[in-house]
Amino acid sequence: MKKAIFIETPYITLGQMLKEESIIGTGGQAKWYLRENTVMVNDEPDNRRGRKLYPGDNITVPDAGSFLIRSKQGE
């Protein structure tokens, strides 16, 4: 089951999402984490910490699960 991540802005970066979900401790760890782990964004591997994630995007993080970006405006 996918965990919904609600955002109030038009997008969130992959690095911000990893930090918000406590997958990494600091934003500075994102570059290292993405180099060492294969994170899938919409079923394609992506290692860019600045990758913009928009509502509807699906993210799969090894050993952390699957996430779905949602807009708070859609509540």
Side-chain angles (χ1 to χ4, degrees), residues 4-66:
I5 299 174
F6 291 95
I7 59 174
E8 295 179 3
T9 56
Y11 65 87
I12 185 171
T13 66
L14 182 55
Q16 289 171 328
M17 191 227 59
L18 293 172
K19 185 171 183 259
E20 188 171 302
E21 292 302 311
S22 301
I23 297 166
I24 58 174
T26 66
Q29 293 176 333
K31 189 174 189 178
W32 169 83
Y33 183 87
L34 291 168
R35 193 175 329 139
E36 300 291 324
N37 298 279
T38 303
V39 174
M40 305 293 281
V41 177
N42 297 326
D43 297 322
E44 294 185 10
D46 203 321
N47 63 356
R48 299 173 292 164
R49 65 183 173 178
R51 164 73 187 258
K52 293 177 181 176
L53 304 173
Y54 296 93
D57 283 346
N58 293 295
I59 300 90
T60 304
V61 181
D63 301 321
S66 296

Tab-separated table of all heavy atoms in Angstrom, residues 4-66:
chain	number	residue	atom	x	y	z
A	4	ALA	N	0.440	8.215	1.292
A	4	ALA	CA	0.206	9.510	0.643
A	4	ALA	C	1.042	10.583	1.333
A	4	ALA	O	1.118	10.636	2.554
A	4	ALA	CB	-1.262	9.873	0.702
A	5	ILE	N	1.683	11.412	0.526
A	5	ILE	CA	2.423	12.565	1.021
A	5	ILE	C	1.698	13.791	0.501
A	5	ILE	O	1.625	14.013	-0.709
A	5	ILE	CB	3.880	12.557	0.523
A	5	ILE	CG1	4.601	11.308	1.030
A	5	ILE	CG2	4.598	13.821	0.950
A	5	ILE	CD1	5.988	11.141	0.466
A	6	PHE	N	1.145	14.568	1.410
A	6	PHE	CA	0.381	15.756	1.019
A	6	PHE	C	1.297	16.972	0.988
A	6	PHE	O	2.055	17.204	1.927
A	6	PHE	CB	-0.770	15.991	1.999
A	6	PHE	CG	-1.829	14.936	1.896
A	6	PHE	CD1	-1.817	13.834	2.732
A	6	PHE	CD2	-2.830	15.046	0.945
A	6	PHE	CE1	-2.789	12.856	2.631
A	6	PHE	CE2	-3.813	14.067	0.840
A	6	PHE	CZ	-3.788	12.973	1.682
A	7	ILE	N	1.231	17.732	-0.108
A	7	ILE	CA	2.038	18.940	-0.247
A	7	ILE	C	1.125	20.147	-0.449
A	7	ILE	O	0.042	20.026	-1.014
A	7	ILE	CB	3.060	18.823	-1.411
A	7	ILE	CG1	2.363	18.575	-2.753
A	7	ILE	CG2	4.065	17.718	-1.126
A	7	ILE	CD1	3.302	18.600	-3.945
A	8	GLU	N	1.583	21.295	0.043
A	8	GLU	CA	0.821	22.538	-0.106
A	8	GLU	C	1.349	23.383	-1.259
A	8	GLU	O	0.704	24.334	-1.669
A	8	GLU	CB	0.898	23.339	1.190
A	8	GLU	CG	0.227	22.652	2.349
A	8	GLU	CD	0.328	23.441	3.641
A	8	GLU	OE1	0.870	24.557	3.629
A	8	GLU	OE2	-0.135	22.929	4.664
A	9	THR	N	2.539	23.049	-1.749
A	9	THR	CA	3.172	23.784	-2.839
A	9	THR	C	2.937	23.032	-4.146
A	9	THR	O	2.471	21.888	-4.123
A	9	THR	CB	4.688	23.907	-2.558
A	9	THR	OG1	5.229	22.591	-2.378
A	9	THR	CG2	4.950	24.737	-1.303
A	10	PRO	N	3.263	23.640	-5.286
A	10	PRO	CA	3.041	22.942	-6.561
A	10	PRO	C	3.860	21.650	-6.688
A	10	PRO	O	3.441	20.719	-7.367
A	10	PRO	CB	3.481	23.956	-7.615
A	10	PRO	CG	3.362	25.288	-6.948
A	10	PRO	CD	3.661	25.037	-5.499
A	11	TYR	N	5.031	21.589	-6.037
A	11	TYR	CA	5.884	20.401	-6.118
A	11	TYR	C	6.760	20.312	-4.879
A	11	TYR	O	6.866	21.258	-4.094
A	11	TYR	CB	6.756	20.422	-7.379
A	11	TYR	CG	7.769	21.544	-7.396
A	11	TYR	CD1	9.017	21.384	-6.804
A	11	TYR	CD2	7.468	22.759	-7.992
A	11	TYR	CE1	9.944	22.421	-6.806
A	11	TYR	CE2	8.390	23.793	-8.006
A	11	TYR	CZ	9.629	23.610	-7.413
A	11	TYR	OH	10.533	24.630	-7.416
A	12	ILE	N	7.392	19.153	-4.704
A	12	ILE	CA	8.379	18.927	-3.661
A	12	ILE	C	9.547	18.222	-4.347
A	12	ILE	O	9.327	17.455	-5.293
A	12	ILE	CB	7.796	18.084	-2.501
A	12	ILE	CG1	8.782	17.955	-1.344
A	12	ILE	CG2	7.361	16.718	-2.977
A	12	ILE	CD1	8.183	17.318	-0.105
A	13	THR	N	10.774	18.486	-3.920
A	13	THR	CA	11.903	17.802	-4.544
A	13	THR	C	12.074	16.423	-3.921
A	13	THR	O	11.630	16.157	-2.804
A	13	THR	CB	13.214	18.596	-4.403
A	13	THR	OG1	13.582	18.643	-3.020
A	13	THR	CG2	13.093	19.999	-4.995
A	14	LEU	N	12.741	15.559	-4.641
A	14	LEU	CA	12.985	14.206	-4.159
A	14	LEU	C	13.771	14.246	-2.855
A	14	LEU	O	13.461	13.519	-1.915
A	14	LEU	CB	13.723	13.395	-5.232
A	14	LEU	CG	14.025	11.940	-4.920
A	14	LEU	CD1	12.764	11.184	-4.534
A	14	LEU	CD2	14.701	11.283	-6.108
A	15	GLY	N	14.768	15.107	-2.765
A	15	GLY	CA	15.548	15.239	-1.531
A	15	GLY	C	14.694	15.684	-0.360
A	15	GLY	O	14.825	15.175	0.759
A	16	GLN	N	13.788	16.631	-0.587
A	16	GLN	CA	12.894	17.100	0.478
A	16	GLN	C	11.959	15.985	0.925
A	16	GLN	O	11.681	15.823	2.108
A	16	GLN	CB	12.063	18.289	-0.014
A	16	GLN	CG	12.838	19.566	-0.192
A	16	GLN	CD	12.006	20.641	-0.886
A	16	GLN	OE1	11.152	20.346	-1.728
A	16	GLN	NE2	12.265	21.889	-0.552
A	17	MET	N	11.467	15.201	-0.029
A	17	MET	CA	10.575	14.106	0.312
A	17	MET	C	11.285	13.065	1.165
A	17	MET	O	10.740	12.588	2.159
A	17	MET	CB	10.023	13.451	-0.957
A	17	MET	CG	8.900	12.486	-0.654
A	17	MET	SD	8.959	10.852	-1.459
A	17	MET	CE	10.471	10.147	-0.917
A	18	LEU	N	12.523	12.729	0.810
A	18	LEU	CA	13.278	11.752	1.583
A	18	LEU	C	13.499	12.236	3.012
A	18	LEU	O	13.399	11.462	3.957
A	18	LEU	CB	14.630	11.471	0.914
A	18	LEU	CG	14.578	10.760	-0.437
A	18	LEU	CD1	15.960	10.720	-1.059
A	18	LEU	CD2	13.999	9.361	-0.302
A	19	LYS	N	13.767	13.516	3.170
A	19	LYS	CA	13.977	14.079	4.512
A	19	LYS	C	12.669	14.122	5.291
A	19	LYS	O	12.615	13.752	6.467
A	19	LYS	CB	14.572	15.474	4.412
A	19	LYS	CG	14.918	16.063	5.766
A	19	LYS	CD	15.699	17.347	5.625
A	19	LYS	CE	16.082	17.840	6.996
A	19	LYS	NZ	15.266	18.902	7.490
A	20	GLU	N	11.597	14.553	4.651
A	20	GLU	CA	10.303	14.659	5.315
A	20	GLU	C	9.808	13.302	5.812
A	20	GLU	O	9.165	13.207	6.858
A	20	GLU	CB	9.274	15.271	4.360
A	20	GLU	CG	7.967	15.593	5.029
A	20	GLU	CD	7.049	16.391	4.132
A	20	GLU	OE1	7.442	17.486	3.692
A	20	GLU	OE2	5.948	15.899	3.873
A	21	GLU	N	10.117	12.248	5.085
A	21	GLU	CA	9.691	10.900	5.464
A	21	GLU	C	10.710	10.203	6.364
A	21	GLU	O	10.601	9.006	6.621
A	21	GLU	CB	9.418	10.058	4.215
A	21	GLU	CG	8.212	10.527	3.443
A	21	GLU	CD	6.945	10.530	4.283
A	21	GLU	OE1	6.662	9.510	4.937
A	21	GLU	OE2	6.260	11.558	4.303
A	22	SER	N	11.721	10.940	6.826
A	22	SER	CA	12.760	10.426	7.732
A	22	SER	C	13.547	9.250	7.152
A	22	SER	O	14.024	8.391	7.883
A	22	SER	CB	12.153	10.041	9.083
A	22	SER	OG	11.540	11.156	9.673
A	23	ILE	N	13.674	9.226	5.839
A	23	ILE	CA	14.495	8.209	5.184
A	23	ILE	C	15.955	8.624	5.302
A	23	ILE	O	16.849	7.791	5.453
A	23	ILE	CB	14.058	8.022	3.719
A	23	ILE	CG1	12.613	7.502	3.705
A	23	ILE	CG2	14.993	7.089	2.979
A	23	ILE	CD1	11.918	7.577	2.371
A	24	ILE	N	16.188	9.932	5.254
A	24	ILE	CA	17.509	10.501	5.515
A	24	ILE	C	17.361	11.504	6.647
A	24	ILE	O	16.266	12.005	6.900
A	24	ILE	CB	18.116	11.167	4.256
A	24	ILE	CG1	17.188	12.267	3.731
A	24	ILE	CG2	18.408	10.131	3.184
A	24	ILE	CD1	17.759	13.075	2.593
A	25	GLY	N	18.476	11.798	7.330
A	25	GLY	CA	18.414	12.708	8.464
A	25	GLY	C	18.512	14.166	8.087
A	25	GLY	O	17.868	15.023	8.693
A	26	THR	N	19.311	14.471	7.076
A	26	THR	CA	19.504	15.855	6.650
A	26	THR	C	19.434	15.934	5.134
A	26	THR	O	19.635	14.933	4.444
A	26	THR	CB	20.873	16.408	7.109
A	26	THR	OG1	21.914	15.686	6.423
A	26	THR	CG2	21.060	16.276	8.613
A	27	GLY	N	19.185	17.129	4.644
A	27	GLY	CA	19.133	17.319	3.195
A	27	GLY	C	20.453	16.997	2.518
A	27	GLY	O	20.490	16.555	1.376
A	28	GLY	N	21.555	17.192	3.235
A	28	GLY	CA	22.873	16.914	2.681
A	28	GLY	C	23.117	15.437	2.420
A	28	GLY	O	23.989	15.079	1.628
A	29	GLN	N	22.368	14.574	3.052
A	29	GLN	CA	22.533	13.132	2.856
A	29	GLN	C	21.844	12.637	1.586
A	29	GLN	O	22.078	11.510	1.158
A	29	GLN	CB	21.971	12.369	4.057
A	29	GLN	CG	22.747	12.583	5.321
A	29	GLN	CD	22.103	11.881	6.505
A	29	GLN	OE1	20.892	11.658	6.524
A	29	GLN	NE2	22.902	11.538	7.491
A	30	ALA	N	21.015	13.458	0.975
A	30	ALA	CA	20.236	13.026	-0.194
A	30	ALA	C	21.136	12.579	-1.345
A	30	ALA	O	20.895	11.542	-1.959
A	30	ALA	CB	19.298	14.130	-0.657
A	31	LYS	N	22.161	13.345	-1.630
A	31	LYS	CA	23.046	13.024	-2.756
A	31	LYS	C	23.694	11.655	-2.548
A	31	LYS	O	23.709	10.817	-3.443
A	31	LYS	CB	24.100	14.110	-2.901
A	31	LYS	CG	24.936	14.009	-4.139
A	31	LYS	CD	25.837	15.218	-4.243
A	31	LYS	CE	26.537	15.273	-5.560
A	31	LYS	NZ	27.368	16.475	-5.678
A	32	TRP	N	24.209	11.430	-1.341
A	32	TRP	CA	24.829	10.155	-1.025
A	32	TRP	C	23.802	9.024	-1.107
A	32	TRP	O	24.061	7.975	-1.697
A	32	TRP	CB	25.455	10.205	0.370
A	32	TRP	CG	25.868	8.875	0.855
A	32	TRP	CD1	27.030	8.211	0.576
A	32	TRP	CD2	25.096	7.983	1.671
A	32	TRP	NE1	27.023	6.982	1.175
A	32	TRP	CE2	25.849	6.812	1.858
A	32	TRP	CE3	23.849	8.069	2.271
A	32	TRP	CZ2	25.389	5.739	2.614
A	32	TRP	CZ3	23.389	7.000	3.021
A	32	TRP	CH2	24.163	5.858	3.186
A	33	TYR	N	22.634	9.225	-0.491
A	33	TYR	CA	21.605	8.192	-0.458
A	33	TYR	C	21.187	7.786	-1.870
A	33	TYR	O	21.074	6.603	-2.175
A	33	TYR	CB	20.382	8.671	0.332
A	33	TYR	CG	19.323	7.613	0.456
A	33	TYR	CD1	19.358	6.689	1.481
A	33	TYR	CD2	18.287	7.524	-0.478
A	33	TYR	CE1	18.391	5.690	1.582
A	33	TYR	CE2	17.321	6.535	-0.389
A	33	TYR	CZ	17.386	5.624	0.657
A	33	TYR	OH	16.444	4.641	0.739
A	34	LEU	N	20.975	8.773	-2.727
A	34	LEU	CA	20.523	8.490	-4.090
A	34	LEU	C	21.613	7.829	-4.932
A	34	LEU	O	21.317	7.140	-5.896
A	34	LEU	CB	20.013	9.767	-4.753
A	34	LEU	CG	18.706	10.293	-4.136
A	34	LEU	CD1	18.412	11.694	-4.641
A	34	LEU	CD2	17.553	9.352	-4.415
A	35	ARG	N	22.866	8.032	-4.570
A	35	ARG	CA	23.964	7.380	-5.278
A	35	ARG	C	24.027	5.893	-4.892
A	35	ARG	O	24.388	5.055	-5.700
A	35	ARG	CB	25.289	8.062	-4.934
A	35	ARG	CG	26.416	7.672	-5.838
A	35	ARG	CD	27.700	8.423	-5.594
A	35	ARG	NE	27.482	9.778	-5.117
A	35	ARG	CZ	28.206	10.361	-4.163
A	35	ARG	NH1	29.191	9.725	-3.600
A	35	ARG	NH2	27.945	11.597	-3.792
A	36	GLU	N	23.681	5.597	-3.636
A	36	GLU	CA	23.796	4.237	-3.106
A	36	GLU	C	22.529	3.396	-3.280
A	36	GLU	O	22.585	2.185	-3.141
A	36	GLU	CB	24.150	4.294	-1.617
A	36	GLU	CG	25.449	5.004	-1.318
A	36	GLU	CD	26.667	4.232	-1.792
A	36	GLU	OE1	26.645	2.992	-1.723
A	36	GLU	OE2	27.629	4.876	-2.245
A	37	ASN	N	21.385	4.023	-3.515
A	37	ASN	CA	20.097	3.313	-3.589
A	37	ASN	C	19.353	3.678	-4.867
A	37	ASN	O	19.412	4.812	-5.318
A	37	ASN	CB	19.226	3.689	-2.386
A	37	ASN	CG	19.868	3.270	-1.081
A	37	ASN	OD1	19.778	2.131	-0.684
A	37	ASN	ND2	20.536	4.206	-0.417
A	38	THR	N	18.642	2.705	-5.419
A	38	THR	CA	17.866	2.938	-6.625
A	38	THR	C	16.445	3.341	-6.237
A	38	THR	O	15.652	2.509	-5.805
A	38	THR	CB	17.834	1.682	-7.509
A	38	THR	OG1	19.171	1.307	-7.821
A	38	THR	CG2	17.065	1.945	-8.796
A	39	VAL	N	16.160	4.624	-6.376
A	39	VAL	CA	14.826	5.147	-6.095
A	39	VAL	C	14.078	5.234	-7.423
A	39	VAL	O	14.606	5.733	-8.420
A	39	VAL	CB	14.915	6.533	-5.411
A	39	VAL	CG1	13.536	7.149	-5.258
A	39	VAL	CG2	15.599	6.409	-4.056
A	40	MET	N	12.854	4.719	-7.432
A	40	MET	CA	12.054	4.729	-8.650
A	40	MET	C	11.014	5.840	-8.566
A	40	MET	O	10.304	5.959	-7.565
A	40	MET	CB	11.338	3.387	-8.822
A	40	MET	CG	12.266	2.181	-8.814
A	40	MET	SD	13.364	2.126	-10.221
A	40	MET	CE	12.264	1.509	-11.463
A	41	VAL	N	10.948	6.653	-9.613
A	41	VAL	CA	9.934	7.700	-9.720
A	41	VAL	C	9.117	7.386	-10.965
A	41	VAL	O	9.655	7.343	-12.073
A	41	VAL	CB	10.572	9.106	-9.824
A	41	VAL	CG1	9.502	10.168	-9.998
A	41	VAL	CG2	11.432	9.407	-8.600
A	42	ASN	N	7.838	7.118	-10.762
A	42	ASN	CA	6.952	6.724	-11.865
A	42	ASN	C	7.536	5.557	-12.659
A	42	ASN	O	7.586	5.563	-13.883
A	42	ASN	CB	6.639	7.924	-12.770
A	42	ASN	CG	5.894	9.001	-12.030
A	42	ASN	OD1	5.090	8.728	-11.152
A	42	ASN	ND2	6.178	10.246	-12.368
A	43	ASP	N	8.024	4.550	-11.925
A	43	ASP	CA	8.575	3.307	-12.477
A	43	ASP	C	9.852	3.486	-13.289
A	43	ASP	O	10.198	2.623	-14.095
A	43	ASP	CB	7.514	2.566	-13.316
A	43	ASP	CG	6.333	2.133	-12.478
A	43	ASP	OD1	6.547	1.728	-11.316
A	43	ASP	OD2	5.193	2.204	-12.978
A	44	GLU	N	10.559	4.590	-13.090
A	44	GLU	CA	11.849	4.806	-13.741
A	44	GLU	C	12.866	5.203	-12.681
A	44	GLU	O	12.566	6.014	-11.801
A	44	GLU	CB	11.751	5.907	-14.798
A	44	GLU	CG	10.864	5.520	-15.964
A	44	GLU	CD	10.869	6.580	-17.065
A	44	GLU	OE1	11.684	7.511	-17.005
A	44	GLU	OE2	10.046	6.458	-17.968
A	45	PRO	N	14.095	4.659	-12.745
A	45	PRO	CA	15.098	5.021	-11.745
A	45	PRO	C	15.467	6.500	-11.845
A	45	PRO	O	15.558	7.053	-12.944
A	45	PRO	CB	16.305	4.126	-12.082
A	45	PRO	CG	16.061	3.637	-13.466
A	45	PRO	CD	14.591	3.720	-13.740
A	46	ASP	N	15.647	7.145	-10.706
A	46	ASP	CA	16.018	8.562	-10.695
A	46	ASP	C	16.940	8.821	-9.504
A	46	ASP	O	16.648	8.395	-8.389
A	46	ASP	CB	14.787	9.455	-10.586
A	46	ASP	CG	15.050	10.849	-11.122
A	46	ASP	OD1	16.155	11.376	-10.891
A	46	ASP	OD2	14.163	11.415	-11.771
A	47	ASN	N	18.061	9.487	-9.744
A	47	ASN	CA	19.012	9.766	-8.672
A	47	ASN	C	19.256	11.269	-8.498
A	47	ASN	O	20.257	11.676	-7.937
A	47	ASN	CB	20.339	9.042	-8.924
A	47	ASN	CG	21.028	9.523	-10.188
A	47	ASN	OD1	20.498	10.340	-10.932
A	47	ASN	ND2	22.212	9.009	-10.441
A	48	ARG	N	18.316	12.078	-8.970
A	48	ARG	CA	18.466	13.532	-8.861
A	48	ARG	C	17.730	14.031	-7.619
A	48	ARG	O	16.508	13.964	-7.559
A	48	ARG	CB	17.896	14.212	-10.104
A	48	ARG	CG	18.609	13.805	-11.384
A	48	ARG	CD	17.914	14.358	-12.595
A	48	ARG	NE	16.601	13.704	-12.737
A	48	ARG	CZ	15.625	14.175	-13.500
A	48	ARG	NH1	15.793	15.296	-14.178
A	48	ARG	NH2	14.487	13.538	-13.595
A	49	ARG	N	18.476	14.557	-6.663
A	49	ARG	CA	17.842	15.032	-5.425
A	49	ARG	C	16.936	16.230	-5.686
A	49	ARG	O	16.002	16.481	-4.943
A	49	ARG	CB	18.895	15.371	-4.383
A	49	ARG	CG	19.764	16.533	-4.787
A	49	ARG	CD	20.831	16.805	-3.783
A	49	ARG	NE	21.711	17.833	-4.333
A	49	ARG	CZ	22.716	18.343	-3.717
A	49	ARG	NH1	23.005	17.944	-2.512
A	49	ARG	NH2	23.450	19.250	-4.283
A	50	GLY	N	17.168	16.963	-6.762
A	50	GLY	CA	16.350	18.113	-7.112
A	50	GLY	C	15.179	17.776	-8.007
A	50	GLY	O	14.447	18.670	-8.439
A	51	ARG	N	14.960	16.488	-8.281
A	51	ARG	CA	13.843	16.062	-9.136
A	51	ARG	C	12.541	16.569	-8.536
A	51	ARG	O	12.242	16.347	-7.373
A	51	ARG	CB	13.821	14.533	-9.229
A	51	ARG	CG	12.528	13.917	-9.746
A	51	ARG	CD	12.354	14.135	-11.234
A	51	ARG	NE	11.058	13.706	-11.699
A	51	ARG	CZ	10.820	12.573	-12.345
A	51	ARG	NH1	11.799	11.740	-12.588
A	51	ARG	NH2	9.616	12.283	-12.746
A	52	LYS	N	11.775	17.292	-9.326
A	52	LYS	CA	10.502	17.840	-8.852
A	52	LYS	C	9.428	16.759	-8.898
A	52	LYS	O	9.226	16.117	-9.920
A	52	LYS	CB	10.088	19.033	-9.700
A	52	LYS	CG	11.021	20.214	-9.539
A	52	LYS	CD	10.631	21.364	-10.447
A	52	LYS	CE	11.593	22.517	-10.280
A	52	LYS	NZ	11.292	23.611	-11.203
A	53	LEU	N	8.768	16.581	-7.771
A	53	LEU	CA	7.684	15.610	-7.661
A	53	LEU	C	6.367	16.363	-7.570
A	53	LEU	O	6.211	17.238	-6.725
A	53	LEU	CB	7.883	14.749	-6.418
A	53	LEU	CG	9.225	14.013	-6.325
A	53	LEU	CD1	9.359	13.345	-4.972
A	53	LEU	CD2	9.369	13.017	-7.462
A	54	TYR	N	5.448	16.020	-8.439
A	54	TYR	CA	4.157	16.688	-8.523
A	54	TYR	C	3.050	15.749	-8.049
A	54	TYR	O	3.236	14.528	-8.037
A	54	TYR	CB	3.887	17.123	-9.962
A	54	TYR	CG	4.862	18.153	-10.476
A	54	TYR	CD1	6.000	17.776	-11.177
A	54	TYR	CD2	4.644	19.513	-10.233
A	54	TYR	CE1	6.900	18.735	-11.638
A	54	TYR	CE2	5.536	20.467	-10.696
A	54	TYR	CZ	6.666	20.064	-11.394
A	54	TYR	OH	7.546	21.018	-11.830
A	55	PRO	N	1.887	16.296	-7.686
A	55	PRO	CA	0.769	15.426	-7.310
A	55	PRO	C	0.509	14.381	-8.397
A	55	PRO	O	0.509	14.685	-9.588
A	55	PRO	CB	-0.409	16.405	-7.174
A	55	PRO	CG	0.248	17.685	-6.759
A	55	PRO	CD	1.539	17.722	-7.542
A	56	GLY	N	0.338	13.142	-7.961
A	56	GLY	CA	0.128	12.031	-8.891
A	56	GLY	C	1.379	11.209	-9.121
A	56	GLY	O	1.301	10.088	-9.625
A	57	ASP	N	2.566	11.732	-8.748
A	57	ASP	CA	3.809	10.985	-8.926
A	57	ASP	C	3.893	9.859	-7.900
A	57	ASP	O	3.510	10.018	-6.743
A	57	ASP	CB	5.031	11.893	-8.782
A	57	ASP	CG	5.275	12.759	-10.009
A	57	ASP	OD1	4.671	12.484	-11.066
A	57	ASP	OD2	6.077	13.705	-9.916
A	58	ASN	N	4.411	8.711	-8.354
A	58	ASN	CA	4.608	7.539	-7.507
A	58	ASN	C	6.099	7.349	-7.280
A	58	ASN	O	6.870	7.354	-8.243
A	58	ASN	CB	4.042	6.289	-8.175
A	58	ASN	CG	2.548	6.345	-8.297
A	58	ASN	OD1	1.853	6.342	-7.305
A	58	ASN	ND2	2.055	6.412	-9.528
A	59	ILE	N	6.499	7.152	-6.031
A	59	ILE	CA	7.904	6.988	-5.683
A	59	ILE	C	8.048	5.688	-4.906
A	59	ILE	O	7.269	5.411	-3.989
A	59	ILE	CB	8.421	8.167	-4.826
A	59	ILE	CG1	8.290	9.485	-5.573
A	59	ILE	CG2	9.877	7.961	-4.447
A	59	ILE	CD1	7.015	10.172	-5.358
A	60	THR	N	9.043	4.876	-5.276
A	60	THR	CA	9.351	3.651	-4.547
A	60	THR	C	10.771	3.772	-4.034
A	60	THR	O	11.708	3.997	-4.805
A	60	THR	CB	9.216	2.414	-5.457
A	60	THR	OG1	7.893	2.404	-6.008
A	60	THR	CG2	9.454	1.139	-4.682
A	61	VAL	N	10.924	3.634	-2.713
A	61	VAL	CA	12.217	3.763	-2.053
A	61	VAL	C	12.570	2.415	-1.436
A	61	VAL	O	11.765	1.862	-0.670
A	61	VAL	CB	12.172	4.855	-0.961
A	61	VAL	CG1	13.525	5.007	-0.292
A	61	VAL	CG2	11.719	6.189	-1.551
A	62	PRO	N	13.768	1.861	-1.762
A	62	PRO	CA	14.147	0.564	-1.206
A	62	PRO	C	14.085	0.571	0.323
A	62	PRO	O	14.548	1.504	0.973
A	62	PRO	CB	15.587	0.361	-1.680
A	62	PRO	CG	15.766	1.307	-2.818
A	62	PRO	CD	14.812	2.436	-2.596
A	63	ASP	N	13.519	-0.473	0.893
A	63	ASP	CA	13.410	-0.672	2.343
A	63	ASP	C	12.590	0.395	3.057
A	63	ASP	O	12.590	0.453	4.285
A	63	ASP	CB	14.798	-0.769	2.991
A	63	ASP	CG	15.618	-1.912	2.423
A	63	ASP	OD1	15.033	-2.984	2.177
A	63	ASP	OD2	16.833	-1.739	2.229
A	64	ALA	N	11.923	1.278	2.332
A	64	ALA	CA	11.093	2.316	2.962
A	64	ALA	C	9.655	2.264	2.467
A	64	ALA	O	8.763	2.763	3.133
A	64	ALA	CB	11.686	3.704	2.715
A	65	GLY	N	9.429	1.711	1.282
A	65	GLY	CA	8.071	1.582	0.775
A	65	GLY	C	7.764	2.437	-0.428
A	65	GLY	O	8.653	2.994	-1.069
A	66	SER	N	6.473	2.554	-0.707
A	66	SER	CA	5.983	3.316	-1.854
A	66	SER	C	5.202	4.525	-1.366
A	66	SER	O	4.512	4.461	-0.354
A	66	SER	CB	5.078	2.443	-2.715
A	66	SER	OG	5.808	1.366	-3.252
